Amino acid sequence: MSLQTVQAKMELKELVDSYATLTDAKKISEQMLLFTPDTQFRIYFGDQLVSEVTGTKQLEEEFNGHVAHVKRYFSTNAQHVVSVDNDTATGVLFSQMKMVRDDEEGKEVITDYSVQYHDVYVQHNGKWLIKERTSHYIIVEARRLQS
């Protein structure tokens, strides 16, 4: 493996970790800087496509709408398997997310998501960006938080 490939893999890992960190901090406008302006973002629950967004403007609107209902996030990234080809790359990232919201009775509910992100990355002006992200929600579990 060349030094250039090792460097790219390190930068791509930092990119996906930045995405998770900015999610947890609810810094959506900063998060949009991690995507190409024409990005494509898809979400699947099982085999069902539940959302498909094109462009950071629409993506930011979607994320802001979602964030408005979430009290707290906590994300952890695990394996990140990447294949680099010059200034493009593909990768699969395994992630665990927790979201806390209030239910209709005002009680806190935590939802655990086990997610695989299938990504396409491009290097633009010396910086890696996410061009496509397809989220596959594999396991979803919700429960009330204990007081």
Side-chain angles (χ1 to χ4, degrees), residues 10-73:
M10 287 175 45
E11 291 172 5
L12 289 164
K13 177 65 171 142
E14 186 174 319
L15 173 67
V16 297
D17 286 347
S18 293
Y19 174 89
T21 301
L22 292 169
T23 296
D24 290 355
K26 298 183 179 183
K27 294 183 176 180
I28 304 305
S29 59
E30 290 178 41
Q31 199 174 39
M32 292 304 109
L33 300 175
L34 305 178
F35 294 92
T36 62
D38 64 343
T39 194
Q40 293 184 339
F41 195 98
R42 294 173 213 77
I43 298 174
Y44 286 86
F45 278 79
D47 293 333
Q48 180 77 34
L49 176 66
V50 297
S51 178
E52 187 168 11
V53 176
T54 300
T56 52
K57 182 178 181 192
Q58 186 181 7
L59 186 60
E60 187 169 4
E61 290 171 7
E62 291 280 327
F63 279 18
N64 279 324
H66 188 265
V67 164
H69 301 286
V70 177
K71 294 174 78 172
R72 320 185 271 291
Y73 289 97

Side-chain angles (χ1 to χ4, degrees), residues 2-4 36 48-49 53-54 58 76 92 104 114 121 126 137:
S2 72
L3 183 57
Q4 182 180 11
T36 62
Q48 180 77 34
L49 176 66
V53 176
T54 300
Q58 186 181 7
T76 305
V92 177
E104 56 280 344
S114 298
Y121 312 104
Y137 286 73

